[in-house]
Amino acid sequence: MPAGAAVRTETRPSWFKRHVGRHIDAIPLATKLVACIIVLLTIGSFSLSFAIRQLVSNYLLEKTDSQLINQSQLVVRNTELLNEMSKSEGSLSMTSYFVQMRDYKENTVTDAVVPNLRGGVVSKPDLPTNDNSVSLGQPFTTAAKVSFDGANPANERAGRDTIQKAGLPWRVIALRWIDLDSNQQQYTRGTIYIGLSLSDQYDTADTITRYSAMVGIAVVLLGGVIGMLVVQATLAPLKRIEKTAAKIAAGDLSQRVPSAPENTEVGSLAASLNAMLARIEQSFHEQQETTDKMKRFVSDASHELRTPLAAIHGYAELYKMQREFPGALERADESIEHIEASSARMTVLVEDLLSLARLDEGRGIDLTQQVPLTSIVSDATDDLHALDPERGIREGRLELRRNEDGNGSDFTFVEGDMPQVTLTGDGSRLRQVVTNIVGNIHRYTPADSPVEVSMSVLPASISPESLALMPATETSMHHLIEAIEVGQNMQVGMNYAIIRFSDHGPGVPEASRSQIFERFYTADPSRARLKGGTGLGMAIAQSVVKAHRGFICATGSEGGGLTLTVVLPVAPVEPTVPAPAAADQSNTGKSVWTRSSDRKSAKADRKNR
C-alpha cells in the first residue's frame, strides 16, 4: 500500500443483527405492536401482583408482631388454659400460640403451650440454643420443626395441607421470665419464647397472589384482543395506502389515498401523499404533453422545411434539364425567382424557430426598456390600414360592463382615443407581438372586414406570476374578468394594460381557439403558404407575452370573427388620492395618461411622419 493511503474499514453487522435482527425485521408491524402490548401488559401484571403480595405480607407481619408484643403478658398468665385448649385436637387453628420457658442457663424448663394439629401433627419453632443471638422484645422469624404423635398411622391420618401448613415459619418474640420468690419479690428466672405460626399470613398472601395472577392473565388476554383490534383498525388506512400505491405502480396515476383527519399521523401522511401524487400526475401529463408537442413540432418543422427545400431542389433540376434548349435564359430567371421565394420562406421559418428557441431559453429579450405601448399599437394599426385601405379600422378603449342578462361581465369597446400607456419591457419584442397579430388579420380575414383595436389600463387582483401560468382558454379569460372586478371594487392588485384586436372574418372554431398558439398551427395551410405564413407567429407572440409575465387569449368576436386579447402588467395599484394629486402623479408613473387634444396631435404627427 502506498504511503499515506487511507485505509478503508468495513464495519460488519453484529451476529445479533445478522441472525436475529433479520428475522425481527421480517415480522409484520401489526404483529410487533400486538406482541409489544402483550409483553407490556404481562410485565405490568406481574409487577402489580408482586407489589401487592409484598405489601400484604408486610402488613400481616406487622400485625402479627403487634399481637405478640401486646398480648405476651396475657399469654404468659394463661399458659395453663392455653395448654389445655391446645390438647383438644382441632380446637384451635394454626394461629395458636407456642410458649417455651428456659432457665437462665438456657435449659428448657417446659413447653408450656404446644399446638396440636389434626392427625397428631406437631409444629414447633426452631429456636436458637442460647439467647445471645436473640434481641429481647424484638420479634424474629424462624423455621418450623414438624413431628408426629405416634408412628405411621398418625402420618397417614394427617392431611397434606396440614403437613404443609405445619412446615411454615413461625414468628417468635423472646421476653424475660420474671417470677416471685417466697417473699413475693420479683426475680429473673430465665427466658420465655412466645411464637405464632405464619400459616394464615402465608395463606392470605398466596390467595391474593392467585387472584392477582388470574386477574392479570385476564387483563393480558383481554388487552391482547383489544390491542389487536385497535392496531388493525389503526393500520387499516396504511393497508389502503398500500393498495393505492400498488394501483399507482400498475400505471393508474389517478388513484388517491383515502383522506383522514390531518391532525393524525395517518391523515397527515395521506394528505402529503395525495399532494405528491397530484404533483407526479401533473408532471407526468406535462411531460407527456411536452413529448407529444416535441414530436409534433419536429414533424411539422421537417414538413415545413421540406417544402421549400423540395421547391429549390426541383427548380434547380429543372434549370439543369432545360438550359440546353432555346429560351433557357427566360426559364432560368423564372426558376431563380421560385428558388429565391422558397429560400426566403425557409429563411423566415428558420429565424422564427431560432427566435422561439431563444425565448424558451430565456435569451434574446430585454425587459428593462421603457416601451410606449400606445405608439406600438397605433403604428401597427396604421400598417394594417396601409395593407388593406378598404378595411374599416376603429380605435378606442375598453370598459368592463355587466352583461345585459345580468350573468357576469365582459369587455365593451368604446370608440375614441386610446390612452397613452408606458410600461417596462422589450419594445422590439412587443412590437413583434402586435405585428404578428395584425399580420394574421391581414392574411386570414377579408380585406374589407372591419377591425376594432382597443386598449385600457385596469386593476386586477391577480399577480403577474399567476397570470403568466394561466392557459390560453376562455375559462382563463373569465377568471381574469372576475379578478378585474375585485381589483376595481377593492383597489388592490396590479394595473394591467389590456389590448384587444377584434376582427369580423371567418373566425376560428371554439374548440380550436387555444390551438392557434401552438407551433405550426394554421387554420388553412394552403392559404398560409400563399400569404407567406409559417404557423409560428402566434407561438412567438405567446412566448413574448409570457416572458413579460402577461397573458394572451383568443375568443370569439361579437357578430362573428376572432378577438385576440393581450394583457401586460404595468405597475402595482396605488392608493386613491385626490384629483389634483392624481393629475400631478400621472406624469411620473409608469402609466402615462394625456388629454384628448394631446393624443390627437400625437397621432397626427405619427401619420405625417
Side-chain angles (χ1 to χ4, degrees):
M1 180 180 296
V7 179
R8 182 180 179 182
T9 59
E10 295 183 357
T11 304
R12 297 185 60 186
S14 61
W15 178 91
F16 179 83
K17 190 172 183 180
R18 285 187 286 109
H19 296 277
V20 179
R22 180 167 54 88
H23 296 289
I24 294 177
D25 293 338
I27 299 175
L29 178 60
T31 304
K32 290 181 181 178
L33 292 176
V34 174
C36 290
I37 292 174
I38 293 175
V39 170
L40 291 176
L41 289 176
T42 302
I43 295 175
S45 299
F46 174 80
S47 302
L48 185 61
S49 299
F50 180 78
I52 291 175
R53 180 184 178 89
Q54 290 298 114
L55 289 174
V56 171
S57 299
N58 293 335
Y59 174 73
L60 293 177
L61 189 62
E62 290 177 359
K63 289 197 68 175
T64 302
D65 293 343
S66 298
Q67 183 179 353
L68 287 174
I69 294 172
N70 295 331
Q71 298 183 4
S72 58
Q73 297 298 328
L74 182 62
V75 171
V76 172
R77 294 192 188 100
N78 297 279
T79 53
E80 295 181 0
L81 178 61
L82 292 175
N83 190 27
E84 291 295 332
M85 293 177 63
S86 64
K87 291 180 179 179
S88 300
E89 182 177 342
S91 62
L92 292 179
S93 62
M94 283 295 295
T95 57
S96 298
Y97 287 95
F98 170 83
V99 180
Q100 185 181 83
M101 299 178 178
R102 295 183 183 182
D103 58 15
Y104 65 93
K105 293 183 179 180
E106 286 301 319
N107 295 321
T108 301
V109 176
T110 180
D111 290 337
V113 180
V114 179
N116 190 14
L117 305 180
R118 291 184 179 86
V121 179
V122 178
S123 177
K124 297 180 181 180
D126 187 8
L127 299 176
T129 57
N130 56 73
D131 60 352
N132 294 330
S133 59
V134 177
S135 297
L136 296 178
Q138 295 293 330
F140 62 92
T141 302
T142 183
K145 294 189 298 182
V146 181
S147 61
F148 299 94
D149 289 342
N152 292 332
N155 191 9
E156 292 175 358
R157 291 196 310 270
R160 180 178 300 177
D161 292 340
T162 303
I163 298 175
Q164 184 177 2
K165 290 181 179 181
L168 293 176
W170 285 76
R171 192 69 171 172
V172 180
I173 186 173
L175 301 173
R176 289 297 181 187
W177 182 14
I178 299 176
D179 202 354
L180 298 176
D181 57 9
S182 57
N183 296 325
Q184 298 297 318
Q185 293 182 354
Q186 295 182 353
Y187 69 98
T188 302
R189 187 173 179 180
T191 305
I192 297 178
Y193 290 90
I194 303 174
L196 275 175
S197 177
L198 297 178
S199 58
D200 284 349
Q201 289 84 340
Y202 273 82
D203 182 65
T204 302
D206 291 341
T207 302
I208 291 177
T209 302
R210 285 195 300 270
Y211 282 121
S212 298
M214 288 188 291
V215 173
I217 293 173
V219 169
V220 170
L221 294 178
L222 184 62
V225 173
I226 295 176
M228 180 177 63
L229 296 177
V230 172
V231 167
Q232 289 180 351
T234 305
L235 296 182
L238 294 180
K239 292 290 185 181
R240 292 195 293 268
I241 293 175
E242 179 185 0
K243 294 179 180 179
T244 303
K247 293 179 181 179
I248 294 173
D252 187 4
L253 297 179
S254 63
Q255 291 290 328
R256 292 293 180 270
V257 177
S259 60
E262 293 191 6
N263 60 332
T264 62
E265 291 79 2
V266 176
S268 177
L269 175 62
S272 300
L273 287 177
N274 285 334
M276 181 188 69
L277 293 174
R279 186 70 60 85
I280 291 175
E281 184 180 12
Q282 181 182 0
S283 301
F284 179 80
H285 289 318
E286 290 177 354
Q287 183 180 7
Q288 188 68 29
E289 291 177 0
T290 302
T291 303
D292 295 339
K293 288 182 180 179
M294 183 61 66
K295 292 180 180 178
R296 187 166 59 252
F297 172 76
V298 172
S299 176
D300 293 340
S302 301
H303 176 74
E304 293 293 335
L305 288 173
R306 183 176 60 183
T307 301
L309 286 175
I312 293 173
H313 180 74
Y315 282 109
E317 290 289 336
L318 181 62
Y319 169 74
K320 289 173 62 177
M321 292 171 57
Q322 296 181 352
R323 63 184 176 181
E324 303 296 337
F325 296 95
L329 184 59
E330 291 79 3
R331 288 191 293 274
D333 292 339
E334 183 180 356
S335 298
I336 292 300
E337 290 178 359
H338 285 288
I339 291 173
E340 184 180 4
S342 298
S343 63
R345 171 175 169 77
M346 187 167 60
T347 300
V348 172
L349 181 62
V350 172
E351 288 179 353
D352 289 344
L353 289 174
L354 181 60
S355 178
L356 278 174
R358 288 177 176 175
L359 290 173
D360 290 341
E361 295 176 357
R363 299 185 296 112
I365 188 168
D366 181 12
L367 300 177
T368 61
Q369 306 171 9
Q370 292 296 314
V371 182
L373 191 60
T374 307
S375 299
I376 293 176
V377 176
S378 297
D379 292 344
T381 304
D382 295 339
D383 294 340
L384 181 60
H385 182 71
L387 292 172
D388 300 325
E390 299 179 0
R391 189 186 299 274
I393 303 174
R394 296 190 299 165
E395 296 182 0
R397 55 188 175 82
L398 286 174
E399 291 184 358
L400 190 64
R401 298 179 180 177
R402 298 290 296 181
N403 295 328
E404 295 181 357
D405 56 1
N407 295 327
S409 303
D410 203 351
F411 292 113
T412 301
F413 173 79
V414 179
E415 189 171 0
D417 294 325
M418 292 185 296
Q420 297 294 314
V421 181
T422 300
L423 53 80
T424 303
D426 191 323
S428 61
R429 288 295 186 180
L430 291 177
R431 188 178 297 275
Q432 185 180 14
V433 171
V434 177
T435 302
N436 289 346
I437 295 175
V438 170
N440 279 353
I441 295 175
H442 167 66
R443 291 190 188 96
Y444 298 113
T445 62
D448 56 351
S449 63
V451 173
E452 293 88 23
V453 181
S454 55
M455 180 172 60
S456 286
V457 175
L458 298 174
S461 60
I462 185 172
S463 64
E465 292 76 12
S466 301
L467 183 68
L469 295 176
M470 293 170 59
T473 60
E474 295 191 20
T475 303
S476 300
M477 179 60 70
H478 293 319
H479 292 330
L480 175 62
I481 291 175
E482 293 175 356
I484 292 175
E485 290 179 339
V486 175
Q488 288 179 334
N489 295 330
M490 305 296 294
Q491 288 299 313
V492 294
M494 176 76 69
N495 283 320
Y496 290 96
I498 303 176
I499 313 165
R500 281 170 71 94
F501 296 86
S502 299
D503 65 59
H504 298 278
V508 177
E510 183 178 356
S512 303
R513 287 171 188 165
S514 62
Q515 298 179 2
I516 67 175
F517 301 102
E518 296 181 0
R519 301 175 183 184
F520 294 109
Y521 174 81
T522 52
D524 188 354
S526 61
R527 189 178 177 188
R529 294 191 185 96
L530 183 62
K531 293 287 186 177
T534 62
L536 296 175
M538 289 295 98
I540 293 175
Q542 186 183 48
S543 297
V544 172
V545 170
K546 285 187 176 296
H548 284 78
R549 299 185 302 168
F551 170 72
I552 185 170
C553 180
T555 56
S557 300
E558 184 178 356
L562 185 68
T563 297
L564 287 169
T565 304
V566 179
V567 183
L568 297 170
V570 178
V573 175
E574 297 181 359
T576 305
V577 295
D584 296 338
Q585 189 178 5
S586 62
N587 296 325
T588 58
K590 292 184 179 180
S591 178
V592 182
W593 305 81
T594 61
R595 292 175 302 184
S596 177
S597 59
D598 295 337
R599 293 196 295 268
K600 290 181 179 179
S601 60
K603 184 175 181 181
D605 292 340
R606 289 196 303 272
K607 288 186 177 181
N608 292 333
R609 289 197 300 270

